[in-house]
Amino acid sequence: MVYAVVRAGGRQEKVEVGTIVTMDRIKANKDGNVELAAVLLVDGDKITSDASSLAKVTVTAEVLGDLRGPKIVIQKFKNKTGYKKRQGHRQELTRVKVTGIK
């Protein structure tokens, strides 16, 4: 069983080959693939976590599509002053499928 923990847009995700991950928007190369930075690699009983060994590890993924997250509403209110502020936000996301861990 081989899996890796990768950096995915400010967070870390545990991925195996075939895993679909939704992360912050990233740009793909012209083939539609991206390379993710590994933080930890587990290959059976062997666990790799030092930076020099992980520099040789490549986790490749293909971009399935770009999407937007759910809308969140930010509301600010101060009592007795007439101050109200309402703002919305939708996060830009990318869905990727892991194709290889080497």
Side-chain angles (χ1 to χ4, degrees):
M1 179 171 145
V2 177
Y3 68 89
V5 176
V6 296
R7 258 189 235 114
R11 292 180 295 281
Q12 294 179 354
E13 297 280 344
K14 177 184 170 187
V15 296
E16 299 174 8
V17 175
T19 303
I20 296 175
V21 179
T22 303
M23 62 180 67
D24 289 342
R25 181 74 51 98
I26 55 174
K27 293 218 181 232
N29 61 13
K30 54 188 160 192
D31 300 334
N33 295 325
V34 292
E35 201 167 293
L36 304 172
V39 178
L40 178 79
L41 177 69
V42 177
D43 188 4
D45 293 333
K46 184 179 169 193
I47 299 172
T48 307
S49 63
D50 62 311
S52 60
S53 298
L54 289 173
K56 301 170 191 164
V57 175
T58 59
V59 178
T60 55
E62 73 171 289
V63 174
L64 299 178
D66 292 332
L67 58 138
R68 296 181 77 195
K71 183 162 189 164
I72 61 168
V73 177
I74 301 124
Q75 268 188 318
K76 296 179 181 180
F77 174 80
K78 296 208 186 244
N79 196 17
K80 300 177 189 170
T81 61
Y83 174 77
K84 291 188 285 188
K85 183 177 181 183
R86 183 175 167 152
Q87 183 181 356
H89 176 76
R90 290 186 72 185
Q91 186 68 30
E92 303 284 330
L93 302 171
T94 300
R95 180 166 283 150
V96 299
K97 181 177 183 180
V98 177
T99 56
I101 300 173
K102 298 177 190 163

